[in-house]
């Protein structure tokens, strides 16, 4: 029973064509996730699940395994991460491989580092959790948000209009980077974020959704900022 890193990198992408293999700050963006997983030293296997032959070659060149190709059923626009993982574990079972823990890493997550993965896997095992995932705090309290009703701007929660922002409970969201989890828990529930879920908080300077070309530019700027902080000793290792 070992640990496996599963990087989900399908070939299709409508808004940014070829997104998972597009060059990001000097190398295919997929490679960052592979390198972080390998350098963490906590996975016996680092694999990429893909339906794209070019992505498969990039993955292998970066040191990842591609033991099988993803099916058409899990390569479409509406396939969920859980469906991709379920297929991956089933294919591993067919070739006689089982894993105790896994980490699903998205291929467009250059802010994922070896240290973050190592810390997450250590927390998962130490606390006997079902899942460990990064979270980022909302920069402005959602409790003070507005909605538009009948073309007018109104507070969604009027009772919070005079509450100091520092007195409101912090809210967090999923940055869409990685999930470390117990395989048996996932196979029982069909869900990754389920049961005892523990957080690793990350700063918003190391988070960026990459859905549009402008997002890509922002991500590269944030990535360079992260590298500069690392050089000065104040960033993520």
């Amino acid at each position: 029973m070992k640990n496996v890193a599963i990087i989900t990198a399908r070939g299709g992408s409508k808004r940014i064509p070829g997104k998972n293999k597009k060059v990001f700050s000097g190398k295919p963006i997929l490679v960052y996730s592979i390198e972080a997983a390998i350098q963490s030293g906590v996975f016996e296997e680092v694999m990429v699940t893909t339906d794209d032959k070019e992505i498969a070659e990039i993955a292998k060149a970066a040191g990842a395994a591609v033991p099988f190709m993803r099916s058409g059923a899990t390569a479409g626009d509406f396939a969920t991460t859980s469906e991709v993982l379920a297929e991956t574990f089933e294919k591993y079972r067919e070739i006689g491989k089982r894993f105790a823990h896994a980490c699903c890493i998205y291929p467009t997550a250059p802010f994922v580092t070896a240290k973050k993965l190592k810390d997450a896997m250590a927390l998962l095992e130490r606390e006997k959790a079902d899942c460990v995932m990064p979270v980022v705090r909302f920069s402005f309290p959602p409790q003070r948000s507005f909605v538009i009703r009948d073309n007018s701007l109104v507070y969604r929660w009027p009772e919070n209009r005079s509450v100091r922002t520092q007195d409101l409970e912090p809210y967090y969201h999923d940055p869409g980077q990685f999930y470390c989890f117990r395989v048996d828990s996932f196979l029982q529930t069909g869900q990754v974020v389920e049961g005892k879920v523990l957080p690793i908080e990350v700063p918003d300077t190391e988070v960026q959704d990459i859905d549009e070309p402008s997002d890509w530019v922002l991500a590269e700027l944030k990535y360079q900022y992260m590298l500069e902080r690392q050089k000065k000793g104040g960033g993520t290792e």
Side-chain angles (χ1 to χ4, degrees):
M1 301 291 278
K2 303 176 180 179
N3 301 333
V4 61
I6 301 171
I7 300 163
T8 58
R10 72 188 184 97
S13 178
K14 298 294 189 296
R15 289 173 289 187
I16 303 178
K19 179 171 71 171
N20 291 335
K21 53 192 174 186
K22 182 178 171 67
V23 173
F24 179 97
S25 291
K27 55 190 172 185
I29 195 166
L30 162 70
V31 173
Y32 292 90
S33 296
I34 295 172
E35 290 179 343
I38 292 174
Q39 291 167 10
S40 72
V42 296
F43 303 105
E44 282 74 18
E45 181 147 300
V46 175
M47 69 88 70
V48 171
T49 168
T50 185
D51 60 316
D52 186 286
K53 291 182 179 179
E54 186 177 352
I55 287 177
E57 291 305 314
I58 292 171
K60 291 174 184 176
V66 186
F68 37 75
M69 298 297 286
R70 191 188 300 190
S71 71
T74 58
D77 293 341
F78 300 103
T80 66
T81 296
S82 292
E83 290 169 340
V84 173
L85 292 174
E87 178 183 76
T88 300
F89 290 126
E90 175 60 23
K91 288 190 174 184
Y92 267 124
R93 187 192 65 78
E94 291 172 358
I95 61 176
K97 283 191 174 182
R98 297 179 184 275
F99 299 96
H101 304 96
C103 188
C104 172
I105 309 172
Y106 288 132
T108 53
F111 302 103
V112 173
T113 64
K115 184 178 186 303
K116 288 175 183 174
L117 295 176
K118 189 174 181 177
D119 289 349
M121 290 295 289
L123 182 62
L124 179 74
E125 297 189 37
R126 184 176 67 250
E127 298 297 327
K128 295 180 172 55
D130 295 296
C131 176
V132 172
M133 60 181 284
V135 294
V136 60
R137 185 185 298 204
F138 281 98
S139 58
F140 186 84
Q143 301 98 313
R144 293 279 297 276
S145 61
F146 290 94
V147 293
I148 298 175
R149 291 176 178 163
D150 297 325
N151 295 320
S152 296
L153 201 62
V154 297
Y155 280 103
R156 175 62 182 84
W157 292 282
E159 64 272 22
N160 292 324
R161 66 189 304 162
S162 299
V163 179
R164 298 187 309 167
T165 56
Q166 60 264 43
D167 293 332
L168 293 169
E169 180 183 12
Y171 281 15
Y172 300 85
H173 68 88
D174 178 0
Q177 295 182 350
F178 68 87
Y179 311 91
C180 296
F181 59 96
R182 287 199 306 128
V183 175
D184 60 351
S185 294
F186 169 75
L187 293 177
Q188 289 170 14
T189 66
Q191 300 293 329
V192 174
V193 184
E194 189 74 28
K196 183 179 180 180
V197 182
L198 300 181
I200 290 182
E201 187 171 357
V202 296
D204 59 6
T205 53
E206 297 176 16
V207 171
Q208 180 62 51
D209 284 337
I210 305 179
D211 295 320
E212 304 291 344
S214 59
D215 297 333
W216 192 279
V217 175
L218 287 173
E220 287 189 310
L221 290 172
K222 286 186 175 183
Y223 179 74
Q224 292 303 321
Y225 175 72
M226 185 179 80
L227 292 184
E228 289 301 317
R229 290 193 65 210
Q230 288 177 8
K231 290 178 183 177
K232 295 177 182 178
T236 304
E237 298 179 0

